[in-house]
Amino acid sequence: MQVTPSIYMGMQLILPGETAPNHRHTPNAVRIIVEGKGAYTTVNGEPCKMERGDLILTPSGMWHEHHHEGTEPIVWLDILDLPLIYNLEGSWAIESDLQRVHKTRDKSYSDYSAAGIVPNIGFKRTENKTPMLRYPWAKTKSCLLEMASDSSESIIQVSYIDPENGKSLFPSIGFGALMIKNGQSTTLPDRTTPCIFHVLEGSGSMTVNNKTVNFTDKDTLSAPGYSKIEFKNSTEEPIFMLIADESPLHTHLNIF
């Protein structure tokens, strides 16, 4: 039910030809694509292609459904603020008819295809709370590699934000990605918030308060708040991870 005090995490699998019905719910959710291809999630009429490592948003109250037109199973990692919403007694979900798609692809291909640029159609900026629904891993990885080429730091980190206002994707959960260079060890700063790490590429070890676990790609790790977290990469290849934590909520509550 919960991997941190306010975050639920689960794995979901859809076989070729299967669908998940159109529905919406109060918890905010993302899916991180673990393996497979040929599927897409439609969110409020916008089809979001699913490729490995992509981060796809289904914010609170938004209609979404899943379709799989590929030839092999697809697996993704769900991350929701379900424990928080459940304990606030505000959790519900409903289903409806399939959506009518009004676009051929999601806005990560067009409106939000370049960093530092946002659409200004008709001299107006959007007021959509979540204007960008899909964050392609290929673009994020490319950014991390470019940053690493100009930095001597052992760990390179980026945050996923709303491109229109710079805020966190959700008020309850923050998301980002990090790269640990080959042959490097790094200790993260002590923080109040727990953290989730999903390994996209590479292998290494994580030590939390003197307890060590080894990991490889497609593994998912968690660490509690107020803990000392150390990563070690003894290989010749970098490690790439997606991360999720409660930092937006802690910041809003003035406890971060």
Side-chain angles (χ1 to χ4, degrees):
M1 179 61 188
Q2 61 186 79
V3 69
T4 79
S6 67
I7 298 177
Y8 162 95
M9 194 166 66
M11 302 290 280
Q12 188 167 163
L13 179 148
I14 289 186
L15 297 174
E18 289 187 334
T19 62
N22 186 31
H23 62 287
R24 63 178 180 172
H25 41 66
T26 42
N28 291 289
V30 306
R31 45 204 39 86
I32 298 169
I33 313 309
V34 176
E35 63 182 28
K37 56 184 179 180
Y40 63 95
T41 292
T42 301
V43 187
N44 275 13
E46 187 174 326
C48 297
K49 187 178 180 180
M50 292 177 155
E51 295 183 332
R52 187 179 176 201
D54 288 356
L55 185 80
I56 298 175
L57 311 186
T58 51
S60 176
M62 278 198 179
W63 292 104
H64 55 284
E65 62 195 56
H66 313 302
H67 300 264
H68 192 359
E69 298 175 349
T71 59
E72 59 188 43
I74 190 163
V75 179
W76 63 73
L77 175 68
D78 285 316
I79 296 178
L80 295 79
D81 55 8
L82 179 59
L84 175 65
I85 303 300
Y86 179 80
N87 284 295
L88 292 173
E89 298 184 356
S91 181
W92 54 259
I94 58 175
E95 294 185 7
S96 185
D97 297 331
L98 293 180
Q99 299 176 49
R100 178 177 296 177
V101 175
H102 59 77
K103 301 180 76 69
T104 57
R105 56 185 186 172
D106 67 85
K107 293 189 185 74
S108 69
Y109 288 98
S110 55
D111 299 30
Y112 304 105
S113 59
I117 298 175
V118 296
N120 194 24
I121 300 170
F123 293 91
K124 293 181 180 180
R125 293 276 294 277
T126 181
E127 295 182 0
N128 189 335
K129 289 192 300 182
T130 49
M132 185 172 173
L133 296 169
R134 175 175 174 257
Y135 290 74
W137 168 242
K139 289 185 178 181
T140 305
K141 180 180 179 180
S142 177
C143 176
L144 288 168
L145 289 169
E146 288 292 341
M147 291 172 62
S149 67
D150 285 331
S151 174
S152 60
E153 297 291 331
S154 59
I155 186 170
I156 308 297
Q157 184 177 349
V158 295
S159 296
Y160 289 113
I161 61 170
D162 181 326
E164 292 283 347
N165 58 30
K167 294 181 180 180
S168 171
L169 302 184
F170 297 149
S172 52
I173 310 175
F175 297 93
L178 59 82
M179 169 186 173
I180 305 170
K181 293 180 179 178
N182 54 297
Q184 297 290 314
S185 297
T186 186
T187 301
L188 304 186
D190 294 353
R191 303 188 308 155
T192 59
T193 174
C195 199
I196 294 165
F197 306 91
H198 178 70
V199 186
L200 290 173
E201 299 179 32
S203 59
S205 64
M206 179 180 77
T207 300
V208 180
N209 295 337
N210 298 317
K211 295 181 180 179
T212 300
V213 294
N214 296 320
F215 61 80
T216 188
D217 63 311
K218 302 181 183 179
D219 284 351
T220 304
L221 314 162
S222 66
Y226 303 94
S227 59
K228 187 171 294 296
I229 304 170
E230 180 183 4
F231 284 108
K232 186 174 184 179
N233 181 3
S234 301
T235 72
E236 297 300 317
E237 299 295 332
I239 295 170
F240 294 96
M241 296 179 172
L242 293 186
I243 57 178
D245 64 20
E246 298 169 349
S247 55
L249 181 60
H250 283 217
T251 300
H252 179 72
L253 297 173
N254 292 322
I255 62 171
F256 183 70

